[in-house]
């Protein structure tokens, strides 16, 4: 099943998995309208009770996302930049706070905004040919450090930021920026398998779990764990939690009710 969402952002469905595809040839550079479309798409997914996992990827083999559209950027003024920045932040936050897990399938260079989009997903799988970079310093911008800094050491972040040079998928894996590296031809299947595994879990459990992990990120353990326990207590009161435990005892597949 395919659902058209905007000119350059489209959504495809396979069961409980949504596949969000950036499709703007030649290198999937994104405009303000594309940022708005991404925000709208992920807001809609968050509200869709029949979607339990998302794969974010791109069309074509030249890039996952080469960042912002430089022609549009050059046509803007510093006075317009705060409003532009708000649109960009809204898009990133809509992905990061999506109610269900999001997997980035990085099929080519993820540069600037592309690197940030990958970083705000829950899990990142990269093609072995992919690269990730923060070239903002080369084009008169700053940005991306706050998001990537959640995932990688400060030295690695600052080297990427100050040199503007991309790193390989293998180096990104070494420093913890991506979670798995596969051959390019295997990437769609690898992402689909992981998404199907996740989507088979309790729908309400996935949503409570995503909210809990986002809320406790950055908190000291003595503050974060009680928050997580609170979500566990809320989950315990659901039909799905009872069904999960019963299915384990009876050695059968659970039947989720989504409540």
């Amino acid at each position: 099943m395919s659902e058209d969402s905007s000119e350059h952002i489209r959504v495809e469905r396979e069961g409980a998995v949504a596949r969000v595809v950036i499709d703007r040839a030649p290198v999937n550079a994104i405009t303000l309208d594309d940022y708005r479309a991404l925000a709208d798409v992920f807001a809609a997914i968050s509200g869709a009770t029949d979607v339990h996992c998302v794969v974010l990827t791109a069309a074509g083999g030249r890039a996952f996302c080469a960042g912002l559209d430089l022609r549009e950027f050059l046509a803007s003024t510093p006075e317009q930049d705060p409003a532009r920045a708000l649109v960009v932040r809204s898009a990133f936050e809509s992905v990061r706070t999506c109610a269900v897990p999001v997997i980035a399938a990085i099929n080519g260079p993820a540069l600037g905004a592309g690197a940030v989009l990958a970083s705000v997903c829950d899990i990142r799988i990269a093609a072995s040919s992919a690269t990730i970079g923060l070239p903002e310093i080369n084009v008169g911008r700053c940005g991306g450090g706050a998001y990537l800094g959640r995932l990688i050491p400060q030295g690695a972040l600052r080297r990427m930021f100050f040199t503007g040079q991309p790193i390989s998928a293998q180096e990104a894996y070494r420093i913890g920026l991506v979670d798995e590296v596969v051959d390019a031809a295997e990437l769609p299947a690898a992402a689909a398998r992981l998404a199907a595994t996740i989507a088979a879990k309790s729908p309400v459990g996935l949503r409570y779990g995503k909210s809990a992990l986002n809320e406790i990120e950055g908190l000291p353990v003595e503050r974060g764990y009680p928050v997580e326990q609170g979500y566990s207590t809320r989950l315990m009161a659901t039909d799905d939690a009872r069904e999960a435990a019963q299915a384990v005892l009876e050695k059968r597949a659970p039947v989720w009710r989504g409540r």
Side-chain angles (χ1 to χ4, degrees), residues 34-54:
D34 298 330
Y35 281 117
R36 293 185 183 99
L38 279 167
D40 290 344
V41 161
F42 277 91
I45 288 171
S46 287
T49 57
D50 60 341
V51 176
H52 307 324
C53 191
V54 184

Side-chain angles (χ1 to χ4, degrees), residues 32-251:
L32 280 184
D33 282 344
D34 298 330
Y35 281 117
R36 293 185 183 99
L38 279 167
D40 290 344
V41 161
F42 277 91
I45 288 171
S46 287
T49 57
D50 60 341
V51 176
H52 307 324
C53 191
V54 184
V55 174
L56 174 62
T57 192
R62 290 188 60 183
F64 170 76
C65 173
L68 59 80
D69 184 288
L70 287 179
R71 290 183 178 84
E72 183 181 77
F73 165 63
L74 287 172
S76 65
T77 67
E79 291 73 23
Q80 295 170 322
D81 208 50
R84 288 175 51 86
L86 180 59
V87 172
V88 173
R89 285 199 305 277
S90 296
F92 293 152
E93 285 302 298
S94 72
V95 179
R96 191 182 71 84
T97 61
C98 182
V100 297
V102 183
I103 301 165
I106 308 169
N107 59 313
L111 307 176
V116 176
L117 276 175
S119 78
V120 293
C121 295
D122 296 285
I123 303 167
R124 286 154 293 284
I125 305 177
S128 56
S129 56
T131 57
I132 301 178
L134 294 174
E136 279 85 350
I137 199 165
N138 298 332
V139 294
R141 297 293 285 172
C142 293
Y147 287 105
L148 270 69
R150 298 160 47 244
L151 305 173
I152 61 176
Q154 279 293 305
L157 171 66
R158 289 167 190 251
R159 180 168 182 157
M160 291 177 68
F161 193 102
F162 293 135
T163 66
Q165 296 173 350
I167 60 175
S168 68
Q170 288 294 346
E171 175 65 6
Y173 176 77
R174 187 188 73 81
I175 64 175
L177 187 50
V178 301
D179 305 291
E180 184 180 359
V181 178
V182 299
D183 290 340
E186 173 63 12
L187 179 63
R193 283 194 301 270
L194 180 58
T197 297
I198 293 172
K201 307 302 180 184
S202 160
V204 65
L206 289 171
R207 287 171 179 261
Y208 278 174
K210 177 68 181 281
S211 294
L213 290 173
N214 276 355
E215 192 170 336
I216 67 176
E217 184 180 322
L219 291 179
V221 65
E222 66 272 14
R223 290 176 54 197
Y225 191 53
V227 171
E228 191 175 6
Q229 288 180 309
Y231 277 98
S232 189
T233 299
R234 291 169 60 188
L235 183 58
M236 184 180 179
T238 67
D239 292 340
D240 273 7
R242 302 289 178 178
E243 170 63 10
Q246 195 68 37
V248 169
L249 289 173
E250 297 175 1
K251 296 182 173 57

